Amino acid sequence: MAIITLEEDIMHLRASGRILAKTLASLEERVKPGVSAEELDELADELIQSEGGIPSFKNYGSKGNEYPCAICVSVNDEIVHALPSKEKVFKEGDIVGIDCGVSYNGLYTDSAITIAVGDISPEKSALLEVTKKSMHAGIKQAKPGNTISDISKAIQASIDEEKYGIVRDLVGHGVGYGVHEDPHIPNFWPWRGNGGSGPKIVEGMVLAIEPMVTLGDWKTVTGKDGWSVHTEDSSDSAHFEHTILVRKSGAEIITQA
Ligand code: MF3
Ligand code: CO
């Protein structure tokens, strides 16, 4: 679990987050019908390196099964971790999740957005709103004295589960000195009673808060490529993620411009 208190590390973490925020903003502008996910990946790689950062997803994973790209590009029923390719060309009405990680001087940040391609259906548009709102509800609870369950419960409470599915198989996580660290941060909280509150949140924790929400069920399937995760019922899905640093007064969002 990364607990970052050294002022120098905090500066590097902020620089890492700024590079990531700028990169995602440029990618967002580029998303149009006819553009391919591979083009976005190349652009991300270039932008991150031109700022002195390293695309941290590239080569991440177990030996022999490393992730090959700088970003994940997950379209419509793909939830997360989908590979960019030349063949993955955006069309009007799609929703495109872009997930990106940066390391800068050893400090890691992680962030994701979901973008509309041209005009999208009212249902998809509401899904994007609900997912983003739930991320911010979670971020508000990331303050000293609370527990991880307060983040999870706030995310869950902000989503109408009659209308939307909250993905359970994938969760938020600690970040800062590595791509993934403890603790797990579920986007729902079914546990009660003894020990059912998760770790205490303390100043200096670096957390990636990332709800994944669907227009159907929460169940997931991993694709043949071993990376992409999509909804079992083929319903559309959205994902937003920020890296935050826990300060005395609450969460500082690290991955925004
Ligand atoms: N942001 C992603 C997550 O937290 C990290 C993906 S790593 C990759 O799950 F190797 F799959 F890209
Ligand atoms: Co993440």
Side-chain angles (χ1 to χ4, degrees):
M1 184 178 318
I3 305 225
I4 297 185
T5 50
L6 267 182
E7 204 48 43
E8 196 188 347
D9 281 356
I10 293 176
M11 300 307 276
H12 289 154
L13 185 75
R14 289 193 181 119
S16 175
R18 264 197 303 274
I19 296 169
L20 180 38
K22 254 176 89 174
T23 301
L24 281 179
S26 302
L27 297 182
E28 178 163 16
E29 268 180 39
R30 191 63 84 85
V31 171
K32 300 254 161 28
V35 171
S36 79
E38 186 183 71
E39 289 170 58
L40 294 187
D41 184 54
E42 282 166 1
L43 181 62
D45 212 331
E46 261 170 51
L47 289 171
I48 293 166
Q49 297 198 51
S50 73
E51 302 268 350
I54 299 171
S56 58
F57 292 179
K58 207 170 209 161
N59 301 320
Y60 177 76
S62 49
K63 212 167 157 34
N65 190 35
E66 295 89 352
Y67 192 76
C69 302
I71 56 174
C72 308
V73 183
S74 308
V75 180
N76 295 332
D77 67 320
E78 292 174 329
I79 303 166
V80 285
H81 300 170
L83 291 156
S85 70
K86 225 189 353 256
E87 291 73 39
K88 191 176 268 186
V89 176
F90 309 135
K91 53 186 195 316
E92 178 104 11
D94 284 344
I95 51 174
V96 176
I98 304 176
D99 193 347
C100 186
V102 168
S103 80
Y104 178 80
N105 277 322
L107 274 296
Y108 288 74
T109 51
D110 188 358
S111 183
I113 51 177
T114 303
I115 300 159
V117 183
D119 279 334
I120 59 172
S121 70
E123 290 77 22
K124 281 183 169 179
S125 180
L127 173 68
L128 300 195
E129 285 298 308
V130 163
T131 310
K132 193 173 190 176
K133 224 180 88 200
S134 74
M135 172 186 67
H136 284 290
I139 289 173
K140 272 213 189 82
Q141 297 303 318
K143 54 186 180 195
N146 272 0
T147 62
I148 293 298
S149 72
D150 291 311
I151 298 175
S152 306
K153 287 173 187 167
I155 292 170
Q156 185 172 21
S158 82
I159 298 165
D160 180 354
E161 288 182 85
E162 301 270 306
K163 281 203 191 135
Y164 301 99
I166 304 176
V167 172
R168 300 182 171 214
D169 305 334
L170 298 132
V171 296
H173 52 92
V175 59
Y177 292 127
V179 174
H180 286 132
E181 296 184 43
D182 284 343
H184 280 198
I185 311 174
N187 296 304
F188 64 99
W189 198 264
W191 303 290
R192 292 204 173 75
N194 214 1
S197 60
K200 251 200 169 11
I201 297 169
V202 298
E203 211 183 328
M205 272 185 175
V206 185
L207 305 174
I209 297 178
E210 52 174 322
M212 289 146 265
V213 182
T214 80
L215 283 178
D217 197 74
W218 56 266
K219 295 206 183 77
T220 68
V221 176
T222 302
K224 281 203 261 328
D225 60 21
W227 282 105
S228 67
V229 180
H230 60 91
T231 53
E232 189 184 75
D233 62 4
S234 299
S235 61
D236 293 310
S237 143
H239 177 213
F240 283 87
E241 175 174 24
H242 268 313
T243 295
I244 64 100
L245 170 66
V246 179
R247 312 284 290 177
K248 226 186 234 80
S249 52
E252 174 183 336
I253 299 178
I254 294 294
T255 43
Q256 83 186 354

